[in-house]
Amino acid sequence: RKEVEQDPGPFNVPEGATVAFNCTYSNSASQSFFWYRQDCRKEPKLLMSVYSSGNEDGRFTAQLNRASQYISLLIRDSKLSDSATYLCVELGGGSNYKLTFGKGTLLTVNP
Amino acid sequence: DTAVSQTPKYLVTQMGNDKSIKCEQNLGHDTMYWYKQDSKKFLKIMFSYNNKELIINETVPNRFSPKSPDKAHLNLHINSLELGDSAVYFCASSQGTVADTQYFGPGTRLTVL
């Protein structure tokens, strides 16, 4: 079983739509989680960290459910510029103290 | 004033050759990384250095050898290149530990023919 699993998509949504991505992880000892964004043929960039209490940054909301071992990202009022691949990332604990990236979910926002 | 820079951006070479990729960060960070993103888009850590000391060394063929002359530079040398080495290699850096925000370079697209 892969450590971090995401629905690869693609997700095609119209501008203004609300879209949600989920991600599951297998390591219950994982310390932290993040969402990164990667534009086509570009480097990944941190979008937001994910906290147990849930956190919001403008149109983006991230949630962590440790009991079910999944993370979600909600994007409201989608913009064309949101088109990218969204990477779910886990920071492991102990000897696994490194970032593990999911394969990513491709989002295309259409006019 | 690029934060994390890599050279070259593109590298096309024949099997069996030896090549190097250079990375520099001007953020004053203590920790630097090399990641590989293969054709299936999985991004995986290869190495990490903190203040010039190796702290992460994943299961990577020993044909790959990182070198950190100072904490602002982390170079990657690859011997005897193979077809399977074709990928995009990203350098990254973070302030202190792995838990800090990692800033990625633009990537080096390596094609082995």
Side-chain angles (χ1 to χ4, degrees):
Chain A
R1 182 180 172 184
K2 292 188 174 60
E3 294 168 307
V4 179
E5 291 205 54
Q6 296 181 246
D7 180 346
F11 283 65
N12 288 286
V13 303
E15 265 188 293
T18 295
V19 60
F21 307 134
N22 290 326
C23 165
T24 58
Y25 62 95
S26 58
N27 183 2
S28 58
S30 296
Q31 291 195 13
S32 309
F33 300 90
F34 311 89
W35 284 100
Y36 273 70
R37 169 194 169 130
Q38 186 172 21
D39 292 324
C40 187
R41 300 179 77 87
K42 298 285 189 180
E43 71 273 21
K45 292 182 180 177
L46 179 67
L47 178 66
M48 59 197 302
S49 301
V50 186
Y51 303 121
S52 296
S53 54
N55 49 302
E56 191 173 305
D57 183 2
R59 298 180 294 107
F60 299 83
T61 301
Q63 294 273 358
L64 166 62
N65 185 320
R66 283 198 180 269
S68 302
Q69 295 187 198
Y70 80 81
I71 305 115
S72 64
L73 177 68
L74 182 76
I75 306 175
R76 290 181 299 278
D77 188 23
S78 302
K79 311 291 185 192
L80 296 178
S81 57
D82 293 335
S83 297
T85 295
Y86 290 84
L87 303 166
C88 176
V89 185
E90 163 214 51
L91 173 62
S95 60
N96 204 35
Y97 193 58
K98 65 181 190 289
L99 293 188
T100 299
F101 286 76
K103 191 174 176 179
T105 298
L106 177 61
L107 171 67
T108 301
V109 181
N110 301 302
Chain B
D1 57 346
T2 306
V4 182
S5 58
Q6 296 178 226
T7 53
K9 192 167 183 180
Y10 298 96
L11 185 53
V12 181
T13 189
Q14 300 283 341
M15 275 176 56
N17 285 349
D18 303 338
K19 290 293 178 186
S20 292
I21 307 172
K22 295 188 175 183
C23 178
E24 177 181 1
Q25 54 94 4
N26 63 7
L27 297 167
H29 287 170
D30 289 337
T31 307
M32 296 185 72
Y33 312 82
W34 276 110
Y35 287 87
K36 177 180 179 181
Q37 189 168 40
D38 60 24
S39 58
K40 295 180 180 177
K41 305 298 184 187
F42 267 113
L43 189 64
K44 289 187 179 177
I45 183 76
M46 299 174 70
F47 302 102
S48 176
Y49 273 71
N50 177 272
N51 276 313
K52 302 193 298 175
E53 289 201 22
L54 183 67
I55 57 170
I56 295 175
N57 186 354
E58 291 295 290
T59 307
V60 175
N62 57 15
R63 298 182 294 104
F64 290 78
S65 52
K67 283 189 173 54
S68 182
D70 55 63
K71 76 172 193 176
H73 296 84
L74 181 61
N75 304 322
L76 183 65
H77 188 77
I78 315 170
N79 288 326
S80 303
L81 278 155
E82 300 178 357
L83 294 177
D85 296 334
S86 296
V88 181
Y89 292 84
F90 287 101
C91 177
S93 73
S94 65
Q95 179 67 56
T97 72
V98 176
D100 295 324
T101 300
Q102 294 189 19
Y103 295 85
F104 284 76
T108 295
R109 188 171 294 272
L110 171 65
T111 302
V112 182
L113 303 175

